[in-house]
Amino acid sequence: VGGEQISSIGRGLCVLLGISLEDTQRELEHMVRKILNLRVFEDESGKNWSKSVMDKQYEVLCVSQFTLQCILKGNKPDYHMAMPTEQAESFYNNFLEQLRKAYKPELIKDGKFGAYMQVHIQNDGPVTIELESPAATIDPKQLTKLEKQQQRKEKTRTKVPSESSRERNTPRNKDDPSASSGAEGDVSSEREP
């Protein structure tokens, strides 16, 4: 970052994390379990695909990368499916915290959120594995333009959870500060790397 090396690991995993609008605590927990338990390393006898990063006591380097949520509109990348920066930073920090709780904190390293980084990865193999939570039911790449627009509208509305089904059927007063107009939370495709 800015010509300075801020983080590095030896043998282990480099996790490029793309955080989407749909991601919740459930997806976060799933990804932490998968990353730490994914059997991609050899065992003591040289058998491939036998040991996890935790089994081998290897390191994990995490890099937040919103560009993984890209949807191409012709030749132009669109990042509307990426979680907005403010929410994504909190989500990313929570992700790191959960990794450190589940493993050894000193073996979990990270980049600098929102910074322009030069990331040097030396793949052993090379092996690159795409992980996605089973809770992610919609593949944004398969949506039509209309479906994407509708999904963006739904995802950017503020939702206020109710305590009972009776409350859900109660009409909201227009002066109620918890009522949503649906206009707030508009997500721009303009993002700083």
Side-chain angles (χ1 to χ4, degrees):
V1 177
E4 178 187 348
Q5 181 175 315
I6 62 165
S7 198
S8 69
I9 63 169
R11 189 105 194 228
L13 297 175
C14 179
V15 176
L16 305 176
L17 183 68
I19 305 169
S20 94
L21 281 170
E22 291 110 13
D23 287 334
T24 66
Q25 184 68 27
R26 181 177 172 193
E27 283 82 23
L28 184 147
E29 292 167 359
H30 174 83
M31 296 309 289
V32 166
R33 277 193 311 276
K34 277 295 192 190
I35 288 164
L36 294 177
N37 292 293
L38 188 65
R39 294 184 301 180
V40 293
F41 299 104
E42 69 283 344
D43 65 13
E44 295 72 27
S45 66
K47 182 179 176 192
N48 291 322
W49 315 107
S50 300
K51 297 289 182 179
S52 71
V53 71
M54 289 197 312
D55 294 333
K56 300 292 276 187
Q57 300 297 295
Y58 287 162
E59 296 173 289
V60 179
L61 174 64
C62 298
V63 178
S64 176
Q65 191 170 358
F66 76 89
T67 59
L68 289 170
Q69 295 301 322
C70 171
I71 297 171
L72 287 179
K73 289 186 173 180
N75 292 325
K76 184 179 181 195
D78 180 300
Y79 300 108
H80 277 93
M81 295 308 296
M83 187 178 284
T85 304
E86 302 75 34
Q87 292 172 277
E89 184 170 14
S90 175
F91 191 94
Y92 178 68
N93 288 332
N94 190 15
F95 172 77
L96 291 172
E97 183 180 319
Q98 295 302 316
L99 276 173
R100 290 177 175 131
K101 281 183 183 176
Y103 190 33
K104 295 182 175 183
E106 68 275 9
L107 297 180
I108 305 296
K109 309 285 179 70
D110 68 318
K112 185 172 181 182
F113 186 90
Y116 181 83
M117 292 178 278
Q118 292 183 346
V119 181
H120 301 274
I121 304 170
Q122 183 178 345
N123 280 345
D124 186 6
V127 174
T128 303
I129 297 174
E130 184 177 310
L131 294 177
E132 190 166 319
S133 169
T137 55
I138 299 173
D139 178 4
K141 296 172 187 162
Q142 302 299 318
L143 297 175
T144 67
K145 184 177 180 179
L146 183 59
E147 288 170 322
K148 287 180 212 172
Q149 289 171 344
Q150 182 61 34
Q151 187 178 44
R152 281 195 294 271
K153 286 178 187 174
E154 291 172 3
K155 294 299 178 188
T156 57
R157 288 188 185 125
T158 304
K159 296 180 181 175
V160 180
S162 63
E163 293 183 16
S164 70
S165 59
R166 184 173 44 84
E167 284 184 32
R168 273 185 246 137
N169 295 328
T170 305
R172 291 189 187 246
N173 182 333
K174 70 177 182 175
D175 297 325
D176 181 357
S178 66
S180 172
S181 69
E184 60 267 25
D186 187 28
V187 180
S188 171
S189 65
E190 302 281 327
R191 291 283 180 101
E192 291 296 320

